[in-house]
Amino acid sequence: MLLGTVLVLLLGGAAPASAHAALRSTDPDDGSVVQRAPRHVTLTFTESVGLLDDSFRVFGPDQHRVPTGEATHAEDRSDTARIALPGKLAQGTYTVAWRVVSADSHPVSGAFSFSVGKRSSTMLQVDTGPAEDPLTGGLHTTARYLAYLAAALLVGTVAFALLCRPARTSPLRRPVVAAWWTLLGSTVALLLLRAPYEAGTGPATAFDADALGRTLSGRPGLALLARLALLVLSAVFLVWLARRRDRREPVALALGTALAAGLALTWAAAEHASAGIQVPLAMTSSVLHLLATGVWLGGLVALLLTLRRSSGEDLTEVVPRFSRIAFASVIVLAVTGLYQSWRGLGSLSVLSGTSYGRLLLAKLVAVTALLLAAGYSRRWTARIAAPAATVRTAVPARVPQPVGAPAELEERDSPDTVAGGSDGPGGSDSPDALRRGLRRSVLVEVAVAAAVLLITTVLTGTLPGRAQAEAARQAPAGTLPPTTQVTVPYDTGTGAVTGRGKVWITLDPARVGENGIQAVVHGSDAGLVVIPELRVTFSLPSRDVGPIDAELTDRGGYWSTNAVTLPLPGTWTMKTTVRVSEVDQVTVEKQVRIAP
């Protein structure tokens, strides 16, 4: 009943989509020149998106912001965003900066340009603002990592107490309390930071009443509220559990499982699993993955504390139990992790070609190191469990001896003598030595596990490779490429101030036909410099075309032309010749793509 309520609360209205929204098309097309001013600007995405108060910012040719209407969905389609433009727009190039929230709760942003009548003669760089506030982003990422860490510790420690049943649970109370408070604090922080995180603003806006109200009405906010409610119920459960003498009761295990699954669901319902293909299966997999992570990694911390405080006799029962539970958790992690990797990647080709794929490879390496450490720990576990097995299988029933029998006969037949080995307390298999060895290997596991959780935190905030590939495939053929900007470093080897620097070249619109070029020359101190000559030529070796001279004109501070015609699509070679004196010049080659 509890899980059903949380599921309805969090998933009401959720529809399949591509995890992480990617821009599919724009209207007007990016880089296009329209003869009549458009009435609206419309964006289409690969999944449903949420709109913000400041989802659109439109800048005119004079770099001033253009007044616009309220952002809406076009034709009630949740995968679109639209803004109304003023009735009259001056001729020139307009820049549109946009920001929306994808269905998996992560904000995405970008910018594109279009021109009315003709392109502006001077292409100035418009400051559209940062994609996100660095401080807000850092605080949000830290809170997410602490939430993952605290949830794993809370779930794993309680599961260890219920399933492994150590004789003393007092060493586990402090980490359980610390994990509960950390998860509570990080959840409150995520709830407050949600609005500035979505809008890309500073943390000070977290206490804006209107912004907080929008957060509480959205699915990510509802997920965080549900997590807070489950934490309150968890506190009641933990107090009740602490007062019970028999922790093996089925009702305790059932209640603990339900609460842990509910907590895991608050993550699954607001991240990658909640959007994309096979959403029900993906959310089930995500919940199982999070639970297995908590049982294994949080259980490691509980085992580490138990190793420090418990007796050897207790460890011979507890350690083998946890070893079996950890092995089952690893199997669940392997199966669900393989499915989630396939769902996020789509194909092996994006492993090395996307940030998501590279992070996934890093996580795979870290998990492999974790499994190696776990395998080493199992060797210590087997040695700890061996004495208990010897006692169970090798100790015969004590044979009563006649009254007055010799003392050495009594000692020879005693259980301690039969079960004892040749190793004394100082031997390599003494309980203290085994406990120290296992404690060291478990400590290594805990350290590697913390690194795995850190990579996972970054991974859940990265655009999946499948969504990125889908956006590239579904881009309509008529979409124009954005303006191409190329930085050409030069070094004439003279050692003079103007002998080293960079040329910033803008090629607009970088497609077949007439193109405009603007070039700005910077010296070694990043300041503008005046040079005698700047020459740019284009050639297409695969079709034996060129070189085509752009014939740049010195405009007094920059070089430009609006009349270079590139007749064919493909990867062209752009040669830039920079002459800084009568005798010093250098030519640098760069590849540029020209679209149809």
Side-chain angles (χ1 to χ4, degrees):
M1 181 65 179
L2 175 64
L3 288 181
T5 303
V6 175
L7 188 63
V8 171
L9 176 65
L10 296 180
L11 299 185
S18 303
H20 245 61
L23 183 63
R24 179 184 296 174
S25 65
T26 67
D27 182 17
D29 289 334
D30 186 11
S32 65
V33 179
V34 296
Q35 298 305 313
R36 299 182 60 184
R39 300 290 302 275
H40 302 89
V41 170
T42 304
L43 310 181
T44 304
F45 297 89
T46 56
E47 68 167 51
S48 59
V49 295
L51 302 178
L52 305 169
D53 287 344
D54 204 25
S55 276
F56 284 91
R57 286 173 294 156
V58 182
F59 298 89
D62 57 359
Q63 300 189 68
H64 291 108
R65 188 165 177 176
V66 177
T68 59
E70 183 180 357
T72 60
H73 293 295
E75 301 172 355
D76 293 329
R77 290 177 49 190
S78 60
D79 62 343
T80 63
R82 169 175 286 183
I83 196 79
L85 297 175
K88 294 183 179 180
L89 294 177
Q91 285 191 341
T93 301
Y94 290 79
T95 301
V96 180
W98 54 269
R99 186 178 184 89
V100 295
V101 181
S102 57
D104 61 356
S105 79
H106 296 290
V108 289
S109 60
F112 71 98
S113 64
F114 68 92
S115 301
V116 176
K118 63 178 182 179
R119 296 186 182 89
S120 299
S121 58
T122 302
M123 295 291 295
L124 299 176
Q125 187 68 32
V126 177
D127 183 12
T128 59
E132 70 172 10
D133 183 82
L135 182 56
T136 299
L139 291 174
H140 189 268
T141 300
T142 301
R144 289 175 59 233
Y145 177 67
L146 290 177
Y148 276 123
L149 202 62
L153 182 59
L154 180 63
V155 171
T157 305
V158 175
F160 183 88
L162 291 173
L163 299 175
C164 298
R165 301 188 297 278
R168 295 179 58 197
T169 58
S170 55
L172 306 180
R173 293 177 183 173
R174 184 171 295 179
V176 167
V177 173
W180 188 90
W181 280 106
T182 301
L183 185 54
L184 178 68
S186 59
T187 301
V188 172
L190 288 171
L191 194 62
L192 293 175
L193 289 171
R194 185 70 211 173
Y197 173 67
E198 290 181 348
T201 55
T205 59
F207 300 98
D208 181 82
D210 293 337
L212 188 58
R214 289 191 300 272
T215 296
L216 297 179
S217 62
R219 194 191 335 158
L222 290 175
L224 293 171
L225 285 177
R227 190 180 303 170
L228 291 175
L230 287 167
L231 280 174
V232 173
L233 295 178
S234 298
V236 175
F237 168 74
L238 292 173
V239 172
W240 172 81
L241 186 64
R243 296 177 179 176
R244 308 291 295 183
R245 292 185 177 274
D246 187 2
R247 295 185 300 275
R248 292 174 293 181
E249 292 184 1
V251 62
L253 189 59
L255 286 175
T257 302
L259 288 170
L263 286 173
L265 188 58
T266 62
W267 271 276
E271 294 190 348
H272 288 163
S274 64
I277 61 173
Q278 305 172 353
V279 171
L281 179 59
M283 292 197 58
T284 303
S285 173
S286 180
V287 169
L288 292 175
H289 194 84
L290 290 169
L291 289 177
T293 300
V295 170
W296 182 22
L297 305 186
L300 284 174
V301 178
L303 177 61
L304 189 63
L305 295 172
T306 302
L307 288 172
R308 296 182 58 186
R309 304 291 180 86
S310 297
S311 63
E313 294 180 359
D314 186 30
L315 291 180
T316 58
E317 298 293 335
V318 172
V319 172
R321 288 173 190 157
F322 178 73
S323 181
R324 292 189 293 269
I325 293 170
F327 183 73
S329 299
V330 170
I331 293 177
V332 174
L333 284 171
V335 174
T336 55
L338 183 64
Y339 168 73
Q340 292 178 14
S341 299
W342 167 82
R343 184 174 180 267
L345 289 173
S347 65
L348 293 177
S349 60
V350 300
L351 264 177
S352 59
T354 62
S355 298
Y356 185 88
R358 289 188 288 271
L359 281 171
L360 197 60
L361 287 175
K363 182 179 178 179
L364 179 61
V365 172
V367 170
T368 301
L370 186 59
L371 291 176
L372 291 175
Y376 187 71
S377 297
R378 283 181 65 85
R379 294 172 57 186
W380 287 103
T381 300
R383 295 174 67 180
I384 288 177
T390 302
V391 170
R392 288 192 295 268
T393 59
V395 175
R398 181 180 176 91
V399 178
Q401 300 297 329
V403 176
E408 59 270 17
L409 185 61
E410 296 255 358
E411 183 179 352
R412 183 192 64 193
D413 292 334
S414 68
D416 293 339
T417 304
V418 174
S422 58
D423 294 314
S428 61
D429 284 341
S430 67
D432 288 340
L434 293 176
R435 188 159 56 245
R436 285 194 300 269
L438 181 59
R439 188 165 64 240
R440 285 193 295 266
S441 64
V442 170
L443 187 60
V444 173
E445 282 189 76
V446 170
V448 179
V452 171
L453 284 179
L454 180 60
I455 297 174
T456 301
T457 303
V458 179
L459 191 64
T460 56
T462 305
L463 175 66
R466 181 187 291 272
Q468 186 172 339
E470 181 183 349
R473 286 195 307 267
Q474 295 184 355
T479 300
L480 298 177
T483 297
T484 296
Q485 294 183 329
V486 181
T487 301
V488 180
Y490 67 88
D491 184 356
T492 62
T494 64
V497 175
T498 56
R500 296 179 179 86
K502 295 180 180 179
V503 183
W504 291 353
I505 299 177
T506 300
L507 180 63
D508 183 22
R511 61 187 179 97
V512 170
E514 188 176 274
N515 286 264
I517 297 178
Q518 295 188 35
V520 181
V521 184
H522 293 265
S524 57
D525 60 352
L528 297 179
V529 296
V530 178
I531 60 174
E533 182 182 7
L534 179 65
R535 184 183 180 192
V536 176
T537 62
F538 295 88
S539 59
L540 186 60
S542 62
R543 302 294 294 272
D544 197 22
V545 176
I548 299 175
D549 194 340
E551 298 182 356
L552 298 180
T553 302
D554 187 356
R555 305 290 184 180
Y558 69 98
W559 299 71
S560 72
T561 182
N562 291 320
V564 57
T565 300
L566 302 177
L568 297 172
T571 302
W572 289 66
T573 299
M574 182 179 71
K575 289 186 178 181
T576 304
T577 300
V578 182
R579 185 164 63 88
V580 298
S581 68
E582 294 297 329
V583 295
D584 296 312
Q585 71 177 36
V586 64
T587 299
V588 182
E589 292 187 2
K590 286 281 187 176
Q591 305 296 315
V592 295
R593 187 182 67 87
I594 302 301

